[in-house]
Amino acid sequence: MTTRVLRLAALLALAFAPPAIAALNILATVPEWGALAAELGGDKVTVSVATTAMQDPHHVEARPSLIARARGADLVLATGAELEAGWLPMVLQQAGNAKVREGQPGHFEAAAFVPMLEKPARLDRAEGDVHASGNPHIQTDPRNIGRVATALAARLAEVDPANAAYYRSRQARFADRWSAAVARWEKEAAPLRGALVIVHHKAFPYLFGWLGIREAGTLEPRPGVEPTTSHLTRVLATAKAQPVKMVIRAAYQDDRASQWLAERAKVNAVALPFTVGGTPGAGDLFGLYDDTVRRLLQGLQ
Amino acid sequence: MNRTLLAPFALALALGAIPHARAANDTELAAIREQIRSLRQAYEARIEALEQRLKAAEATASQPAPQVAARPSPAARPNLFNPAISLVLQGNYANLRRDPEKYAIHGFAQGGEIGPGKRGFNLAESEIAMSASVDDKFAGNLIASLTSDEKVSVEEAYGIYTAAPAGLVPKFGRFFSGIGYLNELHPHAWDFHGAPLAYEAFLGGKYVQDGVQMKWIAPIDQFIEIGAEAGSGEGFPGTARSGNGAASAALFAHVGGDVGDSHSWRAGLSWLRARPQDRQWTQADLAGNDALLSFGGTSDVSIADFVWKWAPRGNARATSFKLQGEYVRRRERGDLAYDANGALGLARTGVYESTQSGWYLQGVWQFMPTWRAGLRHDRLSTGTVDYGDNAASLALDGFSPKRTSFMVDWTPSEFSRVRAQYSRSETLPGLPDNQFFVQYILTLGAHGAHRY
């Protein structure tokens, strides 16, 4: 009996023991930070992502699998600005991992490192799903990715000091490639400057600020509230009265409202990847903006 | 926004992002300079974009400038340390065919807060929840409930030790026990109005612990959670008692995971032991009198639960489906005192042993954004009850209480829900009840995170 118990204990210990050379375990809440962590961390990190590009990042459940992954994480990468308020605190509370709790070095919020847009002057839920810290969809401006990359490399070096030099050199290389790419995208996207568009959800203020696109209206009457017929009728009137070029939605959003408007207002309906994996072309961070700019330019025609 | 304001900010950001500046050698210094340079470039580009945007906005006046609220200094706001506060307002209208005062589940010992509630317009419990980190070691949570009869009760008030190592989560105070699936959820998060019959009959609606809980999450990618609780055991099926030590103990284990992007699940097994003393209820005896019964002994409740959720590619915005079921079995052993409604003032005590069970199965389908429909079926089995020496006076027939409920609810945002529900409830032989409810649930204040 005793030997059997010992054997079982040994088996359990083996099953639960961490591998001898453990890579840094990173849990990213959304695909863009997962992709960035992989760019900077290379083979020193294992990245898992809590959501796919087809999920609405505001509405994720505190699933058992997420609790299990947060339990083993050395670093949790979140957007912050209350984007994950509905689930991440519950996952972290249940995961029993003190390293990644808010305020610890193992908890990284990207929104803390970029200038936030659309900070509401008045906080009232009658205005819809507003975020006190500003619009959380910061990844639609590639220059924000560059800012977050700098901060993230520093954080990786802090959490995993043994590989600090590795992370810094990867970040330096990434920064070079990235600034070249940003310059290229800006050149390609020059015709978009001043273009008037309608969006499904207020998901792109950073993108529009970057490329000089102007937003004429949203299909959602309030952020996070489903489009209604009466509101769509008003948006249609706007779209007909002004030289609106296209109606834009993120890949995860239902296409019915934007198709409805596109048909009636005779404008192009454009689905943007929004994050890595949102479209077949957006396979990594570079592809994300390649495809975004390509789709926007197509929408102009 | 101007350059002079942003440049120091950029510098501070760059410096703050470099933790080991002291150890910097020449190459690192060069890297830092490079980072500052790229940051400055990025900011200059950004400022240029903002200026252009501002010009465009001024030109058309249709595009407001980005609003940047001034951040007040923390010193001016001592309230910043206040806990996150949220409120839940609930109420309902109930149309019940049978008098709810006479509600009972035939063949089962009664206890706790059970039944469909009052007829007509009702204010249900209003909840006040407050939570915050206490310090770097503890977090605290209070949920108080204001009832329509002007009472305040403490639903939950617990601390969590957040600095525990090795995946341990210690919790202490008053909390909803981790047994089963539905028990840990607050009623405002339930998908139907009212607890399943199995929860009413065996747990008095829900089981609340005053005590301690220890949970452990296995350090593997497969979700495995094991928990143990010890508590005062005052809640039904236990009773208040005076004594040192724990009068109730619970053990539970949950496993769960994802299947692809679209499916997720959780399943569990739980066991609860309570030691009631003089737990009283009334039950009709063979002579047709309402006899007063009193039980003392041990009560073991076992629960098997599962929940499975589906949403196309994990996006529950438009459609989703949730299937959930629990099987509950209670075994009681001890002594039963029988008092035939004070006849001759005599009470007779005998050995008592019972094994009873029940289950529910429910499905909730979100068929379009903001609208859901659900069906639940509840059933209880009286099982075997041995009245021992009292068998001459007490017996059970083979009646199996059951209930079927259908609901439709509208959830315009994650903060509000309005529900209509119809239930056909057969908890007393020959007295089926048709129940119709309209219920509202409003959540105000801090955006709380939701359980799975």
Side-chain angles (χ1 to χ4, degrees):
Chain A
M1 183 65 199
T2 344
T3 48
R4 195 179 289 173
V5 169
L6 279 175
R7 219 176 280 165
L8 188 69
L11 261 176
L12 278 173
L14 269 179
F16 292 153
I21 308 157
L24 196 71
N25 258 324
I26 298 179
L27 173 62
T29 60
V30 283
E32 60 267 23
W33 308 135
L36 185 61
E39 289 278 358
L40 301 182
D43 56 8
K44 305 286 185 210
V45 300
T46 326
V47 180
S48 100
V49 182
T51 55
T52 71
M54 289 303 141
Q55 290 171 343
D56 185 338
H58 307 85
H59 299 278
V60 175
E61 291 221 51
R63 302 194 308 272
S65 65
L66 296 182
I67 297 169
R69 283 189 266 167
R71 159 73 168 95
D74 298 303
L75 180 62
V76 165
L77 292 188
T79 299
E82 303 124 61
L83 180 69
E84 299 96 346
W87 60 278
L88 189 59
M90 183 53 69
V91 166
L92 296 182
Q93 187 195 312
Q94 295 198 58
N97 182 352
K99 269 190 296 191
V100 296
R101 289 188 72 88
E102 218 170 308
Q104 298 296 319
H107 188 102
F108 180 92
E109 292 194 350
F113 301 95
V114 304
M116 301 297 286
L117 296 181
E118 295 184 348
K119 261 186 203 173
R122 197 172 81 95
L123 274 180
D124 188 336
R125 292 236 168 86
E127 310 288 330
D129 186 17
V130 290
H131 296 253
S133 323
N135 189 305
H137 307 297
I138 55 174
Q139 83 284 5
T140 58
D141 178 349
R143 295 168 303 175
N144 282 343
I145 299 285
R147 293 176 184 120
V148 174
T150 311
L152 179 58
R155 186 64 65 86
L156 285 170
E158 187 184 350
V159 178
D160 182 16
N163 293 313
Y166 177 82
Y167 298 130
R168 281 197 202 105
S169 76
R170 279 191 77 97
Q171 190 269 325
R173 256 181 296 153
F174 175 76
D176 285 345
R177 287 166 63 216
W178 196 250
S179 50
V182 170
R184 176 165 55 80
W185 292 321
E186 284 174 354
K187 209 170 140 201
E188 285 171 8
L192 291 163
R193 190 158 289 281
L196 207 56
V197 303
I198 282 171
V199 292
H200 182 113
H201 174 66
K202 270 192 158 305
F204 303 100
Y206 297 91
L207 175 73
F208 297 166
W210 172 48
L211 297 179
I213 295 172
R214 292 182 299 136
E215 189 179 296
T218 59
L219 301 183
E220 290 180 343
R222 305 249 178 252
V225 178
E226 289 295 322
T228 58
T229 321
S230 58
H231 180 73
L232 284 178
T233 315
R234 277 196 295 276
V235 178
L236 179 60
T238 314
K240 280 180 168 165
Q242 295 183 50
V244 169
K245 295 287 185 194
M246 54 189 133
V247 51
I248 294 174
R249 68 172 198 280
Y252 71 82
Q253 275 156 347
D254 196 345
D255 66 347
R256 280 174 295 187
S258 52
Q259 293 296 359
W260 182 92
L261 188 83
E263 274 169 35
R264 282 161 185 76
K266 306 278 184 293
V267 297
N268 292 319
V270 176
L272 295 183
F274 190 61
T275 183
V276 175
T279 55
D284 62 7
L285 281 170
F286 292 89
L288 169 60
Y289 298 97
D290 282 340
D291 203 43
T292 299
V293 170
R294 184 164 56 233
R295 283 165 180 262
L296 285 171
L297 288 171
Q298 278 169 5
L300 264 191
Q301 287 154 13
Chain B
M1 287 271 186
N2 59 50
R3 270 156 228 247
T4 46
L5 207 113
L6 275 172
F9 175 48
L11 195 67
L13 197 73
L15 288 176
I18 296 149
H20 304 299
R22 271 167 298 154
N25 54 31
D26 285 353
T27 52
E28 277 173 331
L29 271 174
I32 292 167
R33 283 197 198 98
E34 174 56 29
Q35 281 171 355
I36 292 175
R37 198 184 57 79
S38 68
L39 263 176
R40 190 184 292 139
Q41 278 177 351
Y43 271 91
E44 276 168 2
R46 164 123 212 102
I47 289 158
E48 216 173 277
L50 279 176
E51 280 170 353
Q52 277 172 4
R53 230 182 128 197
L54 202 67
K55 271 184 210 146
E58 281 164 357
T60 62
S62 69
Q63 185 82 355
Q67 291 166 314
V68 181
R71 212 174 268 215
S73 78
R77 301 261 310 269
N79 288 349
L80 284 177
F81 280 110
N82 276 354
I85 299 173
S86 64
L87 307 176
V88 182
L89 305 181
Q90 303 177 87
N92 65 64
Y93 169 80
N95 187 313
L96 310 170
R97 183 172 163 207
R98 307 281 174 195
D99 182 3
E101 292 289 314
K102 293 178 181 152
Y103 180 80
I105 305 174
H106 183 77
F108 292 81
Q110 313 284 310
E113 288 175 30
I114 62 169
K118 285 188 284 196
R119 281 168 159 166
F121 289 97
N122 294 296
L123 180 67
E125 287 172 349
S126 311
E127 288 179 11
I128 303 174
M130 296 185 218
S131 64
S133 301
V134 177
D135 52 23
D136 61 332
K137 302 273 189 294
F138 294 98
N141 201 339
L142 167 73
I143 297 168
S145 131
L146 313 176
T147 56
S148 57
D149 51 358
E150 325 301 341
K151 282 187 196 137
V152 180
S153 70
V154 177
E155 299 254 298
E156 290 194 283
Y158 60 80
I160 294 179
Y161 183 65
T162 55
L168 294 169
V169 187
K171 193 174 183 180
F172 49 89
R174 174 175 294 181
F175 52 87
F176 291 175
S177 170
I179 57 171
Y181 172 71
L182 206 56
N183 197 67
E184 224 174 350
L185 294 178
H186 274 263
H188 66 251
W190 292 355
D191 292 321
F192 289 84
H193 178 268
L197 285 182
Y199 269 63
E200 290 200 334
F202 301 122
L203 299 170
K206 68 168 31 257
Y207 195 74
V208 182
Q209 289 277 24
D210 286 3
V212 291
Q213 181 193 65
M214 178 66 88
K215 267 203 293 201
W216 178 71
I217 316 290
I220 49 174
D221 272 354
Q222 169 68 50
F223 172 76
I224 301 176
E225 171 191 86
I226 295 169
E229 293 170 3
S232 70
E234 289 188 14
F236 183 85
T239 56
R241 50 184 278 158
S242 164
N244 293 317
S248 126
L251 289 174
F252 55 86
H254 292 119
V255 293
D258 294 340
V259 181
D261 285 336
S262 304
H263 307 266
S264 64
W265 61 279
R266 201 192 85 159
L269 287 174
S270 317
W271 170 78
L272 167 74
R273 168 166 287 188
R275 297 180 184 281
Q277 283 178 342
D278 189 22
R279 192 184 75 206
Q280 297 182 354
W281 74 99
T282 53
Q283 182 176 317
D285 64 11
L286 289 175
N289 298 318
D290 272 345
L292 183 67
L293 305 181
S294 163
F295 170 75
T298 59
S299 180
D300 289 317
V301 180
S302 312
I303 307 177
D305 65 273
F306 82 93
V307 55
W308 166 67
K309 296 186 186 185
W310 169 85
R313 295 195 283 189
N315 189 356
R317 193 69 191 267
T319 53
S320 65
F321 183 72
K322 180 180 176 187
L323 186 70
Q324 161 189 339
E326 293 185 64
Y327 170 80
V328 187
R329 186 168 174 272
R330 187 177 67 193
R331 184 155 186 233
E332 299 200 307
R333 275 167 301 172
D335 297 321
L336 185 76
Y338 161 73
D339 184 348
N341 203 14
L344 306 175
L346 287 177
R348 193 168 62 227
T349 302
V351 175
Y352 172 83
E353 196 169 333
S354 74
T355 305
Q356 300 183 300
S357 64
W359 56 268
Y360 74 89
L361 183 67
Q362 70 181 51
V364 176
W365 178 43
Q366 186 188 333
F367 52 94
M368 59 182 281
T370 76
W371 285 91
R372 310 189 310 162
L375 189 65
R376 176 172 79 184
H377 186 70
D378 289 87
R379 197 174 276 263
L380 297 176
S381 159
T382 43
T384 56
V385 179
D386 178 4
Y387 288 106
D389 293 346
N390 288 316
S393 316
L394 295 164
L396 286 180
D397 49 33
F399 177 76
S400 298
K402 61 184 182 213
R403 183 171 66 187
T404 303
S405 307
F406 174 73
M407 75 87 187
V408 176
D409 66 23
W410 175 54
T411 312
S413 78
E414 59 186 307
F415 305 103
S416 60
R417 175 166 286 167
V418 180
R419 172 181 296 141
Q421 178 174 322
Y422 167 77
S423 295
R424 174 141 178 114
S425 173
E426 293 168 57
T427 57
L428 293 168
L431 297 169
D433 193 6
N434 290 321
Q435 304 170 339
F436 179 74
F437 305 96
V438 179
Q439 181 191 13
Y440 66 85
I441 301 161
L442 305 178
T443 314
L444 296 72
H447 187 319
H450 314 291
R451 279 184 176 279
Y452 177 70

